[in-house]
């Protein structure tokens, strides 16, 4: 159930998972949505004294979020969505466009589309000129380490889904318009470093009180 987005705690998702397992161990496998919803709802509302409160700002019952995640996992929706994008671009001619519908909030498809764009984006001439090290350039633009003959362009900002059918849905979708672009930068053979070798943890800052010289002047 985690991640559910920035508005939901991963710790709460773990509590829900534990509550589901405990109820199933005590009462057997779930045979109704009502019982499943009662377990999830009771767990989420336990952090507030109001039994009808929605502490995480859900527009619908939190059990629906769990069911969506379970459905997505069983159907391998994220994996299928991720594999469909390169297949679609394999069918496009140069300059052809692909429209990808992605759900927001609790679905991962929007992140999948953006990750696909970033992984297949080609740097512009100024970026290539500034980054002298080929290995670093490949680390920032993974496409340069492949033999693909195209790049991916995000034509414009994602378009929000509108219309009567979409209005009443708590998790509206967005349309991503992607274009099959050319490859201009040559293939880079240098291997990318592992992520742990590319990043360095900054030191923890020290916070100290203000010195007497920095004290505010209360005189008019």
């Amino acid at each position: 159930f985690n991640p559910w987005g920035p508005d939901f705690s991963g710790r709460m998702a773990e509590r829900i998972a534990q509550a589901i397992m405990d109820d199933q161990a005590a009462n057997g496998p779930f045979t109704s949505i009502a019982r499943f919803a009662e377990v999830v709802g009771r767990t989420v509302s336990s952090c507030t004294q109001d039994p009808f409160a929605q502490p995480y700002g859900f527009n619908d019952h939190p059990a629906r979020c769990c069911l969506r995640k379970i459905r997505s996992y069983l159907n391998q929706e994220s994996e299928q969505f991720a594999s469909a994008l390169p297949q679609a671009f394999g069918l496009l001619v140069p300059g052809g466009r692909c429209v990808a519908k992605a759900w927001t909030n609790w679905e991962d498809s929007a992140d999948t589309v953006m990750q696909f764009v970033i992984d297949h984006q080609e740097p512009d001439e100024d970026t290539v000129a500034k980054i002298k090290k080929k290995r670093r350039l490949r680390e920032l633009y993974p496409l340069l380490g492949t033999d693909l003959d195209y790049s991916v362009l995000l034509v414009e900002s994602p378009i929000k889904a509108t219309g009567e059918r979409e209005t009443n849905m708590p998790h509206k979708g967005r349309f991503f318009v992607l274009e099959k672009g050319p490859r201009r930068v040559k293939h880079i053979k240098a291997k990318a470093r592992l992520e742990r070798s590319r990043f360095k943890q900054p030191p923890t800052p020290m916070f100290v009180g203000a010195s007497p010289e920095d004290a505010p002047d209360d005189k008019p």
Side-chain angles (χ1 to χ4, degrees):
F1 305 133
N2 186 42
W4 277 7
D7 296 328
F8 201 87
S9 166
R11 189 71 66 193
M12 178 58 73
E14 189 173 357
R15 291 180 186 177
I16 292 173
Q18 185 65 50
I20 292 172
M21 296 299 295
D22 290 344
D23 186 89
Q24 186 167 252
N27 303 305
F30 285 92
T31 57
S32 72
I33 296 298
R35 177 182 148 203
F36 182 87
E38 192 276 332
V39 172
V40 175
R42 182 177 65 245
T43 305
V44 173
S45 62
S46 64
C47 61
T48 175
Q49 295 181 351
D50 182 0
F52 298 100
Q54 296 285 9
Y56 287 91
F58 290 109
N59 292 322
D60 57 2
H61 198 284
R64 290 188 178 181
C65 310
C66 294
L67 292 172
R68 276 193 288 265
K69 279 296 182 181
I70 293 174
R71 180 210 66 210
S72 178
Y73 175 77
L74 293 177
N75 296 334
Q76 295 292 286
E77 294 177 5
S78 296
E79 291 77 7
Q80 292 192 44
F81 194 75
S83 65
L85 289 170
Q87 293 178 36
F89 269 78
L91 299 175
L92 291 175
V93 299
R97 293 184 176 182
C98 168
V99 178
K101 171 68 177 294
W103 296 103
T104 56
N105 293 351
W106 302 287
E107 301 293 343
D108 302 323
S109 51
D111 292 337
T112 301
V113 175
M114 287 308 303
Q115 189 62 52
F116 176 75
V117 173
I118 293 173
D119 288 345
H120 293 80
Q121 185 181 19
E122 191 174 59
D124 55 29
E125 295 181 358
D126 290 340
T127 301
V128 174
K130 290 177 181 178
I131 303 178
K132 305 299 183 182
K133 295 183 178 180
K134 299 297 183 181
R135 182 176 65 176
R136 186 57 178 156
L137 195 61
R138 177 177 175 176
E139 292 169 351
L140 298 175
Y141 296 89
L143 175 67
L144 303 185
T146 72
D147 294 322
L148 292 176
D149 60 354
Y150 66 87
S151 62
V152 175
L153 308 172
L154 182 63
V155 177
E156 57 182 306
S157 299
I159 304 170
K160 293 183 179 180
T162 59
E164 183 178 355
R165 183 175 181 274
E166 301 287 350
T167 302
N168 296 325
M169 300 187 71
H171 50 292
K172 296 181 180 180
R174 290 182 291 173
F175 293 98
F176 292 78
V177 182
L178 313 180
E179 182 175 308
K180 187 174 186 177
R183 278 286 301 270
R184 297 187 177 89
V185 182
K186 294 182 180 180
H187 173 82
I188 297 178
K189 296 182 179 180
K191 293 183 178 181
R193 294 169 294 174
L194 297 176
E195 187 172 303
R196 63 173 179 266
S197 301
R198 303 202 308 263
F199 296 93
K200 181 179 180 181
Q201 180 70 29
T204 303
M206 295 182 60
F207 295 94
V208 296
S211 64
E213 291 78 9
D214 296 331
D217 187 1
D218 295 333
K219 296 181 180 180

